[in-house]
Amino acid sequence: MLGAILGDIIGSRFEFSNTAINKDFKLYTKDSTYTDDTVMTLAIADALMCVNNRYDENEVKTMIIQKMKEYGHRYPFAGYGYSFRKWLFSESDQPYGSYGNGSAMRVSAIGYMYDNLEDTINAARWSAEVTHNHIEGIKGATVTAAIIFLARSGKNKKYISEYIKNNYDYDIDTPLSVLSSRNEHIESCMDSLPKSIVSFLEGNSFIEVIRNAVSLGGDTDTIGAIAGAMAESYYGIPQEYDYIYLNKLDDDMIETIINFKHFINN
């Protein structure tokens, strides 16, 4: 989960860039900030702790809706997309058919919650369906959670790559050198997931994965968040990068991170 938050903060100042970015960029400046990616990632983590490992679709969905709306009202200016913001501040709990990348950027906590892949994928699907119930929105969430689960379970990148190819129709054979020319700001799972996955597969460390993702330009905070979540589960996060989130997040956000770490380790 923290990998998504760091990817979001690091990528935030380059969002909307329509050119490739030199990978030697500074990881953190005064312009770095958290966005809706961080807020909704924390909301789902909080929801999972509230249901306390109970594996019930209605209960999980109800709590995710409750917590996303709660966190959204607490942080109303985090840069939500138009349709999600409309849902967030409405009285309705009904999904709206989105295939946006929001379903994938917020799902990372689910990759740590369950002890088998099937339950992980089902819970990821539930987390998407409350808003992003388009097949592509669901697919973005499930592949992200699956990669996190497989990586934390000790699977290597060859295994993970074959799993993706056998179960999802994303093109992950196009290298970063080619993807770097496709830097439009497109907030869809169809665009963001291949970029995030290739950034992860081509990286050799946690921070290199994030540099890969952000260097692509476009929706850099969300591509950074998705790739960062995958990288955390594979490499872990060196403590030297803690200052990035400690300097930017509110105390209650940091408390949710600490509580979630404790929750999944006990």
Side-chain angles (χ1 to χ4, degrees):
M1 178 186 73
L2 183 55
I5 293 168
L6 289 174
D8 175 39
I9 295 171
I10 292 168
S12 63
R13 66 190 179 95
F14 299 105
E15 189 177 15
F16 303 110
S17 172
N18 59 2
T19 60
I21 298 160
N22 189 301
K23 290 183 185 179
D24 292 332
F25 62 84
K26 289 184 178 179
L27 294 177
Y28 176 89
T29 74
K30 62 180 178 61
D31 297 318
S32 304
T33 188
Y34 67 83
T35 77
D36 56 328
D37 302 52
T38 290
V39 176
M40 290 300 114
T41 293
L42 291 170
I44 288 187
D46 199 348
L48 294 173
M49 289 187 286
C50 287
V51 299
N52 195 26
N53 283 332
R54 290 187 295 276
Y55 186 73
D56 177 85
E57 180 175 358
N58 288 333
E59 187 172 7
V60 171
K61 283 184 171 181
T62 298
M63 188 55 68
I64 285 175
I65 291 169
Q66 178 181 322
K67 287 298 179 179
M68 287 202 299
K69 293 205 171 201
E70 176 186 319
Y71 275 69
H73 283 77
R74 193 185 309 171
Y75 298 99
F77 304 114
Y80 307 105
Y82 174 79
S83 296
F84 183 75
R85 183 179 182 84
K86 185 177 178 180
W87 176 87
L88 198 60
F89 295 99
S90 74
E91 296 298 321
S92 173
D93 291 342
Q94 296 304 305
Y96 52 92
S98 176
Y99 52 76
N101 54 22
S103 61
M105 60 81 162
R106 70 193 189 203
V107 77
S108 55
I110 289 175
Y112 294 91
M113 187 57 56
Y114 302 99
D115 60 6
N116 66 80
L117 182 58
E118 182 180 3
D119 288 354
T120 298
I121 289 173
N122 284 336
R125 173 173 55 81
W126 302 339
S127 77
E129 285 176 341
V130 298
T131 52
H132 293 55
N133 57 329
H134 187 284
I135 187 172
E136 294 292 342
I138 295 168
K139 185 169 70 175
T142 58
V143 72
T144 302
I147 291 170
I148 291 168
F149 176 85
L150 293 172
R152 76 175 181 87
S153 301
K155 303 301 185 185
N156 60 32
K157 287 188 179 181
K158 181 179 179 181
Y159 183 99
I160 293 170
S161 178
E162 289 302 313
Y163 171 83
I164 297 165
K165 291 177 181 180
N166 290 334
N167 292 278
Y168 298 90
D169 59 356
Y170 292 124
D171 173 15
I172 60 171
D173 290 323
T174 301
L176 283 175
S177 58
V178 175
L179 291 175
S180 63
S181 66
R182 305 176 190 171
N183 38 47
E184 303 91 350
H185 187 91
I186 301 174
E187 297 180 351
S188 72
C189 281
M190 298 84 84
D191 182 77
S192 297
L193 264 299
K195 290 177 178 177
S196 301
I197 294 168
V198 174
S199 295
F200 163 65
L201 293 175
E202 289 196 20
N204 293 307
S205 68
F206 170 76
I207 211 65
E208 185 179 348
V209 170
I210 291 181
R211 288 190 183 279
N212 284 347
V214 174
S215 74
L216 296 174
D219 196 8
T220 50
D221 59 330
T222 297
I223 297 171
I226 298 169
M230 297 173 184
E232 177 189 10
S233 62
Y234 196 84
Y235 294 107
I237 302 177
Q239 199 168 14
E240 64 188 281
Y241 301 117
D242 284 357
Y243 75 94
I244 294 173
Y245 77 90
L246 291 173
N247 283 339
K248 285 297 177 180
L249 300 188
D250 293 349
D251 288 346
D252 62 331
M253 291 175 155
I254 294 171
E255 184 178 3
T256 299
I257 293 171
I258 293 170
N259 288 343
F260 187 74
K261 286 181 178 179
H262 183 266
F263 186 86
I264 62 176
N265 288 324
N266 287 280

